[in-house]
Each structure stands twice: as structure tokens, then as C-alpha cells.
Amino acid sequence: MVQPKYKRVLIKLSGEALAGERGIGIDLPTVQAMAREIKEVAESGVEVALVIGGGNLWRGEPAAQAGMDRVQADYTGMLGTVMNALVMADSLQQEGIDTRVQTAIAMHNVAEPYIRGRALRHLEKDRVVIFGAGIGSPYFSTDTTAALRAAEIEADAILMAKNGVDGIYNDDPRHNADAVKFDELTHGEVIKRGLKIMDATASAISMDNDIDLVVFNMNQPGNIKRVVFGEHIGTTVSNKAE
Ligand code: UDP
């Protein structure tokens, strides 16, 4: 039997992954479809942690540019990620996958607080753990959250599921038809070339902690499982030289 390539993964979904065709808000059928994809992975014996962004509901930076206090705007964004986490947890639970939400901002009535040791126990018991509320601090992103939590739980890789983009290109493929896709890159190259795949803080944490990152298109059903089983799709970023 083919074995999964990874034992423990952290899947990063942007908030837009839950928005479906509309691009904003939460589209329940879209979340349910994503949950079925994640279920397949969890049932193949891989431990799964999830970080879901909040960009489908709110982003702090544009709100600050429009006149809101940046810190308040970022807290609003972090709360958005908790809404996404709760909806995804419900969909996974309904698919029969035991799921726990842990938040970096305490909200005891709706979720567990983030406690690393407890997250590890959940993973060992094959529960999916969703990390909500980012890292709990303004001026950070959920990409950085993904890198930090992946380091903390010693995930084998971050699987970055992108909306309609099938990897990392040397230019934006939506605007430049000649843009070329990379199969492999190093974290150092991503930072040096300023490739906009995750923010620089997230890349630096991944580089310093030697965490592999796989960037792939989530719009193609089955892709998360393909990556987990080592099929070479998308772009892999690691510390190994090409
Ligand atoms: N955010 C934050 N600190 C964190 C994580 C997120 O302040 O640790 C806020 C920030 O305002 C951000 C918003 O939450 O704009 C939504 O997260 P993000 O933009 O990373 O979501 P994504 O683009 O992945 O959907």
C-alpha cells in the first residue's frame, strides 16, 4: 500500500477558500466540500492541523488605510478567522472527523485556548485541530500563524492551498501569460526574489525551522491528498538547494 509522505501536516487555507464563487463571506457548500477533502487526508492516517485565514470576512490593513485604528482592525480580522474555524469544525465534525478549535485569544465558551501540549495530544488521537485567531497579536498574518504553529507542533510540512493558483510563478500568472512556474525553490530564494507567496515573516520562520512548504491549487478536487502522498504538484519550497 502506498504510504503518505508526511506524518503530520499543517494545512493553510486562505479565508477566500471558504467563500466560493462569491469571493466574500462563507459559502457553506464550499466549506463542506473542503471538509470532505480534509477528511480524506485525515482518514489516510496523517495528522492534520489547520490554519484558516480571515480575508473572506475582513482584513486589518485596508481597514486601517480607510481610517480605522490598526490594532482594532487586526483584532476584528482575528475574530473573523474564528468564525471560519467554527464553521469548518462543524463541517468536519458532521463528516465524522473529530475536530477541536483552539484560539490564540481566549473565548472559553466557544473554543479551547491554544495550548501546544493539548494540541499535540489531539493530533496524536487523530483529531483535526484548527488554530483560530491567528497568533493573537495585531500586525501579523495567518501565514505567519501557519509557520509558527507548524514549528511548534513539529509538522513535516505546511500545505498552502491556493485559490486558483497552482504554484509559485516568477510573475503573476493572472496578468502575465509568460510567467513561469517553479517546481522547487528555497526559502532563501523566495525571500531574495520577493516572491509574494507568504509574507516575509512567515518565510523567515519556515527557513529558520526548516519547514517545507508546498503551494498548490486547492480548486482541483483531490489535490490535498495528492500532495500528502508525495505527488509532485505545485511548488515545493524548502531549505534544500535546487
Ligand atoms: N490577523 C492579525 N494577527 C494574526 C492573524 C491575523 O492581526 O496573527 C488579522 C489581520 O488583520 C488580517 C486578518 O486577521 O488581515 C485576516 O487574516 P489574513 O489576512 O492572514 O487572512 P487570509 O489572507 O489568509 O484569508
Side-chain angles (χ1 to χ4, degrees):
M1 209 177 82
V2 186
Q3 292 298 317
K5 181 176 179 192
Y6 305 111
K7 194 177 173 303
R8 178 178 290 162
V9 294
L10 187 141
I11 301 172
K12 163 74 209 296
L13 299 176
S14 68
E16 281 166 5
L18 311 192
E21 297 287 299
R22 285 179 300 158
I24 55 158
I26 301 175
D27 180 57
L28 206 46
T30 302
V31 181
Q32 288 160 340
M34 282 314 294
R36 284 191 290 274
E37 298 259 324
I38 294 163
K39 173 193 163 112
E40 268 193 42
V41 174
E43 285 185 338
S44 67
V46 179
E47 295 174 6
V48 178
L50 267 179
V51 169
I52 311 175
N56 56 322
L57 300 169
W58 187 269
R59 278 206 172 92
E61 206 175 344
Q65 272 161 15
M68 189 172 173
D69 173 68
R70 173 70 194 259
V71 173
Q72 195 79 332
D74 277 345
Y75 277 119
T76 308
M78 285 183 256
L79 294 183
T81 71
V82 179
M83 288 176 65
N84 287 337
L86 293 177
V87 177
M88 177 58 84
D90 177 80
S91 291
L92 284 166
Q93 209 62 59
Q94 294 205 25
E95 286 291 334
I97 301 296
D98 220 1
T99 305
R100 297 289 186 276
V101 177
Q102 292 200 339
T103 56
I105 296 171
M107 42 184 94
H108 297 283
N109 295 336
V110 293
E112 292 178 6
Y114 170 62
I115 299 171
R116 174 185 181 251
R118 232 161 130 177
L120 291 172
R121 290 298 90 72
H122 289 319
L123 292 168
E124 282 159 11
K125 290 180 179 169
D126 295 327
R127 295 176 184 140
V128 170
V129 182
I130 309 180
F131 298 119
I135 65 164
S137 299
Y139 300 102
F140 287 93
S141 70
T142 52
D143 285 352
T144 297
T145 308
L148 186 62
R149 295 289 184 250
E152 287 177 278
I153 64 166
E154 295 176 17
D156 300 318
I158 301 170
L159 311 188
M160 188 168 271
K162 286 274 169 191
N163 214 353
V165 186
D166 64 353
I168 306 178
Y169 286 76
N170 63 352
D171 198 6
D172 189 340
R174 287 167 298 192
H175 300 121
N176 178 0
D178 297 326
V180 179
K181 190 177 120 194
F182 298 102
D183 280 339
E184 286 190 23
L185 280 167
T186 62
H187 291 298
E189 283 167 336
V190 168
I191 295 169
K192 204 167 71 199
R193 289 173 185 248
L195 298 169
K196 300 219 173 340
I197 206 64
M198 61 191 334
D199 54 70
T201 314
S203 283
I205 294 172
S206 305
M207 182 167 78
D208 290 350
N209 296 287
D210 204 12
I211 305 167
D212 288 5
L213 170 76
V214 187
V215 181
F216 62 99
N217 184 3
M218 61 163 202
N219 297 112
Q220 203 167 330
N223 262 0
I224 304 181
K225 197 168 175 194
R226 281 186 196 104
V227 172
V228 163
F229 276 80
E231 216 176 289
H232 203 93
I233 56 169
T235 303
T236 303
V237 188
S238 68
N239 278 340
K240 292 182 234 21
E242 273 179 76

